[in-house]
Amino acid sequence: MQNNLIDKQLVDSTMTQCGVSNLDNASIRDTVRIANLLEKATGEKFIRMEMGVPGLTPSHIGTEAEIKALKKGVAQFYPMLEGHPELSNEASRFIKNFMDVDMHSESIVPTVGAMQASYVAFMALTECHVGKDTILFIDPGFPVQKTQLEVMGKPYITFDIYEYRGQKLETKLREYLDKGNIASIVYSNPNNPSWVCLTAEELQIIGKLATEYDVIILEDLAYFAMDFRKDLSHPGKAPFQPTVAKYTDNYIFMISSSKLFSYAGQRLGLLCISNTLVNKEFPHLQERYHSAKLGYTIIYKLIYTLSSGTAHSPQYAIAAILKAANEGSINILTDVKEYGLRAATMKKLYTDAGFQIVYDKDGDDDVADGFYFTIMYPGMSGAQLAHELLYYGISSITLKGCGSDREGLRACVSQVGMEKMSDLKERIERFRKDHL
């Protein structure tokens, strides 16, 4: 190893210091800590591909609305658990405009980021029916959601979608659903980390089975409308953000303000419960939480006891952004298309150096360029590759850590601006020279 940028012994000792021996078992935050310590020790800025931190300026419409709300004194008051009415109303309009789904404002509740949304959903959905307490993940997926279930002591199972596209997905799902213990099916669309996007056929399969087996779908739309192969940015006009809500009433979906609006720091997400489910009563919820209605339980039992609602001023910010999007005065994709450009550039740098794209196809189409992509290097496991790339000042997480059956890495583009591409190219070349 003649061309490494970071001393090998320093990397290895830093990993030991952080309690990490195999990067397959490292959390995203573990990898962040390792990279931070190496940057501090060496003065070399890493190419940061490990964490999905928005890399764009937040919407000025949001920040101005939030400042205005703070100046009016909203910080003095506790927010209502069900949220700021204007936010819920604009969210309802937004869902209709960009998903073509009718959802009452009462069915939408703000949460402390989509992280809290998934947490409270898991707490409720695993208690709806006696004997149905297991979450099924269509993987690869966001690893922290599994950590949430581990924290609350709830079981989950997973499978990698790579070999089960199209009609094969129905057979695979039935294999698990026939056991009778599945409470919910979870996936992200577009997918973190593979950037695979479920097709209309696949969503229809999932919706059909949700109704047939009476399970609730938890759809993670953290990367809303960011399949840049289609223009999903015009309110009230097709094409719309694909969703299982077209095919079943048994759904909850989560919308994040972090990626689409670059508003991650204020921790605001939307938990959107189908109009049918929000007032549906489940006897076991009554037994467990002394409240039978799903929506009431989530808002007035779980969110209440976890955080007493969501910070007040960010709700005004997101309400203003959604209002502008609904009225067409902003295009929701104008800024975030930058991520697609970065991904296309980074993919070429890696493939030119002998790397391969792991999740390369979406059915018959090439996978889109977006917030994430996946890479592998012949002859190396994902853990080995992630470890080796640290020697060249590049940090990433493994696909195994995201529930994938395949070897390789998740590469996030958000912190790698176009101005950093020359540094990335030089570091990849260093790696290539040492691994021919």
Side-chain angles (χ1 to χ4, degrees):
M1 186 177 294
Q2 301 173 347
N3 295 284
N4 53 301
L5 186 68
I6 310 296
D7 179 73
K8 183 180 184 297
Q9 287 187 330
L10 178 61
V11 170
D12 296 349
S13 63
T14 301
M15 287 178 58
T16 300
Q17 177 186 342
C18 294
V20 175
S21 59
N22 184 328
L23 286 167
D24 274 339
N25 302 322
S27 70
I28 296 171
R29 298 287 181 164
D30 287 333
T31 307
V32 169
R33 185 180 178 217
I34 291 166
N36 285 346
L37 289 172
L38 290 172
E39 283 188 343
K40 184 176 180 180
T42 64
E44 292 284 356
K45 287 293 183 183
F46 269 58
I47 299 294
R48 308 297 290 258
M49 304 194 311
E50 79 283 358
M51 191 172 181
V53 179
L56 303 174
T57 303
S59 167
H60 73 279
I61 292 173
T63 54
E64 288 172 6
E66 185 166 359
I67 290 168
K68 183 178 178 181
L70 286 168
K71 286 182 176 179
K72 281 187 174 182
V74 300
Q76 174 187 350
F77 305 103
Y78 287 119
M80 298 300 291
L81 295 177
E82 62 271 21
H84 176 43
E86 186 177 348
L87 173 60
S88 299
N89 290 335
E90 291 298 339
S92 176
R93 290 179 62 202
F94 183 86
I95 289 164
K96 180 61 178 177
N97 280 330
F98 294 95
M99 299 178 71
D100 194 32
V101 170
D102 293 308
M103 178 165 282
H104 302 151
S105 59
E106 295 81 7
S107 299
I108 304 167
V109 57
T111 56
V112 184
M115 285 282 287
Q116 188 189 40
S118 61
Y119 197 95
V120 298
F122 290 148
M123 290 183 74
L125 298 182
T126 55
E127 297 289 352
C128 286
H129 298 284
V130 176
K132 295 176 75 169
D133 63 349
T134 301
I135 302 296
L136 173 60
F137 287 93
I138 299 178
D139 266 347
F142 184 38
V144 187
Q145 289 174 339
K146 300 179 183 72
T147 304
Q148 290 179 328
L149 289 164
E150 290 165 2
V151 167
M152 63 181 76
K154 295 294 185 180
Y156 65 86
I157 52 178
T158 77
F159 72 94
D160 189 328
I161 195 173
Y162 188 85
E163 301 288 350
Y164 302 101
R165 301 303 303 269
Q167 282 298 317
K168 293 179 181 178
L169 181 61
E170 179 170 351
T171 303
K172 188 64 176 176
L173 287 173
R174 286 189 184 277
E175 176 186 324
Y176 292 103
L177 294 171
D178 282 340
K179 296 176 182 178
N181 64 333
I182 301 300
S184 178
I185 300 172
V186 182
Y187 58 84
S188 55
N189 194 34
N191 175 269
N192 170 8
S194 71
W195 213 247
V196 161
C197 296
L198 295 174
T199 65
E201 176 191 29
E202 291 163 341
L203 290 169
Q204 188 170 8
I205 288 168
I206 294 169
K208 177 183 73 172
L209 296 181
T211 302
E212 179 181 339
Y213 287 88
D214 194 21
V215 300
I216 297 172
I217 306 305
L218 187 59
E219 187 173 65
D220 187 348
L221 302 179
Y223 307 94
F224 191 98
M226 289 170 64
D227 178 358
F228 300 127
R229 297 170 299 186
K230 307 169 187 174
D231 187 355
L232 308 177
S233 67
H234 300 290
K237 296 181 181 179
F240 300 101
Q241 164 66 43
T243 175
V244 77
K246 291 288 188 179
Y247 310 106
T248 184
D249 290 328
N250 284 354
Y251 70 84
I252 296 173
F253 56 76
M254 303 177 291
I255 298 175
S256 170
S257 62
S258 296
K259 308 307 189 300
L260 186 60
F261 303 128
S262 299
Y263 225 77
Q266 300 304 77
R267 309 306 304 128
L268 193 137
L270 297 172
L271 184 64
C272 308
I273 310 168
S274 82
N275 295 334
T276 301
L277 274 185
V278 70
N279 288 314
K280 186 173 180 179
E281 295 189 357
F282 296 87
H284 195 249
L285 280 183
Q286 177 68 44
E287 182 180 335
R288 176 67 176 84
Y289 293 120
H290 308 293
S291 169
K293 290 184 178 179
L294 179 62
Y296 186 94
T297 300
I298 286 174
I299 298 170
Y300 296 101
K301 296 289 184 175
L302 302 178
I303 290 176
Y304 181 29
T305 54
L306 283 172
S307 63
S308 286
T310 306
H312 217 158
S313 58
Q315 297 187 51
Y316 287 78
I318 302 306
I321 296 171
L322 296 179
K323 185 174 189 293
N326 287 326
E327 294 173 351
S329 57
I330 63 169
N331 184 297
I332 61 173
L333 297 182
T334 295
D335 293 333
V336 293
K337 283 182 179 178
E338 165 75 11
Y339 295 134
L341 297 176
R342 294 181 188 179
T345 303
M346 291 171 68
K347 282 181 183 179
K348 188 173 189 310
L349 291 177
Y350 278 105
T351 55
D352 285 351
F355 289 73
Q356 297 171 11
I357 305 300
V358 181
Y359 291 86
D360 56 344
K361 290 291 184 181
D362 231 349
D364 295 328
D365 299 326
D366 290 337
V367 73
D369 295 323
F371 204 78
Y372 302 108
F373 63 95
T374 56
I375 53 173
M376 58 86 67
Y377 195 79
M380 283 192 179
S381 70
Q384 289 171 331
L385 180 57
H387 193 157
E388 287 280 313
L389 285 177
L390 289 174
Y391 302 143
Y392 301 87
I394 300 171
S395 54
S396 57
I397 65 170
T398 72
L399 291 178
K400 291 283 188 182
C402 299
S404 173
D405 291 337
R406 303 175 69 78
E407 296 290 351
L409 308 179
R410 183 189 82 171
C412 182
V413 310
S414 64
Q415 297 186 78
V416 190
M418 298 304 289
E419 76 282 356
K420 296 181 179 179
M421 295 300 171
S422 59
D423 285 344
L424 176 60
K425 180 179 180 180
E426 188 263 339
R427 295 181 190 197
I428 295 172
E429 280 297 309
R430 284 172 174 262
F431 174 92
R432 186 187 67 81
K433 289 176 182 176
D434 285 338
H435 296 84
L436 286 174

